[in-house]
């Protein structure tokens, strides 16, 4: 792991954050069923967190001398509420694993502030995932 590799990985994380923003936005528009009002609020509340993550990653990539990627990773298609929640849970699980790994890599390279921020993002994504788990558990 060197700085260039870390910038590359942070750009992949950024593409996934852009994807999360789009995923929550589109799901909020498309979700149907008796729980639509709650789910729209829930999805839209997540957008703010993911947007903050994306902004942090883009700022950090520039600070490290890189150029932020401007393309989002693919958003999984989903037409019913339960599939949307499962897709969201998968995306949040992947984000948790990615940020754990990225925090270790940042630590290895001596970027302590970045590592701490990435660990904070592990916390945010874990909260997101646990909320979705609770919704699905009671379905
Ligand atoms: Fe995020
Ligand atoms: Fe999230």
């Amino acid at each position: 792991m060197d700085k260039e590799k870390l910038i590359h990985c942070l750009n992949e994380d950024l593409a996934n954050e852009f994807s999360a923003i789009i995923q929550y936005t589109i799901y909020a528009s498309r979700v149907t069923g008796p729980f639509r009002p709650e789910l729209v609020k829930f999805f839209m509340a997540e957008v703010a967190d993911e947007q903050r993550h994306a902004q942090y990653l883009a700022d950090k990539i520039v600070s490290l001398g890189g150029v932020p990627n401007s393309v989002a990773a693919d958003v999984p298609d989903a037409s019913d509420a339960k599939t949307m929640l499962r897709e969201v849970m998968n995306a949040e699980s992947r984000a948790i694993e990615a940020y754990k790994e990225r925090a270790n890599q940042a630590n290895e390279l001596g970027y302590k502030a970045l590592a701490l921020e990435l660990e904070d993002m592990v916390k945010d994504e874990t909260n997101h995932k646990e909320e979705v788990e609770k919704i699905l558990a009671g379905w």
Side-chain angles (χ1 to χ4, degrees), residues 4-42:
E4 287 314 307
K5 179 84 201 304
L6 180 66
I7 290 170
H8 176 81
C9 292
L10 290 170
N11 258 323
E12 283 181 0
D13 298 331
L14 180 58
N16 288 323
E17 289 292 348
F18 287 147
S19 169
I21 292 166
I22 296 168
Q23 184 175 22
Y24 282 122
T25 304
I26 287 176
Y27 288 0
S29 296
R30 289 187 74 187
V31 69
T32 54
F35 307 120
R36 176 175 161 80
E38 289 82 4
L39 288 172
V40 169
K41 266 187 234 148
F42 177 72

Side-chain angles (χ1 to χ4, degrees), residues 4 11 20 40 55 68 85 96 109 115 117 124:
E4 287 314 307
N11 258 323
V40 169
Q55 187 66 64
L85 289 166
I96 292 163
L109 292 172
E117 193 70 36
D124 289 343

Side-chain angles (χ1 to χ4, degrees), residues 26-125:
I26 287 176
Y27 288 0
S29 296
R30 289 187 74 187
V31 69
T32 54
F35 307 120
R36 176 175 161 80
E38 289 82 4
L39 288 172
V40 169
K41 266 187 234 148
F42 177 72
F43 289 149
M44 291 316 292
E46 305 296 296
V47 171
D49 273 359
E50 312 303 10
Q51 208 272 326
R52 197 166 42 77
H53 295 162
Q55 187 66 64
Y56 175 79
L57 291 173
D59 287 349
K60 203 54 169 183
I61 288 163
V62 172
S63 297
L64 291 169
V67 177
N69 145 74
S70 58
V71 179
D74 287 344
V75 176
D77 185 41
S79 56
D80 66 279
K82 229 170 168 178
T83 307
M84 287 176 187
L85 289 166
R86 286 204 192 98
E87 291 294 353
V88 159
M89 205 168 74
N90 292 339
E92 296 290 357
S93 300
R94 286 194 300 271
I96 292 163
E97 291 316 307
Y99 291 137
K100 278 186 198 166
E101 192 188 356
R102 214 69 67 234
N104 289 337
Q105 291 164 339
N107 259 325
E108 255 175 56
L109 292 172
Y111 296 120
K112 191 64 199 169
L114 173 59
L116 286 171
E117 193 70 36
L118 289 163
E119 279 170 9
D120 223 55
M121 284 157 67
V122 171
K123 197 178 71 183
D124 289 343
E125 310 297 20

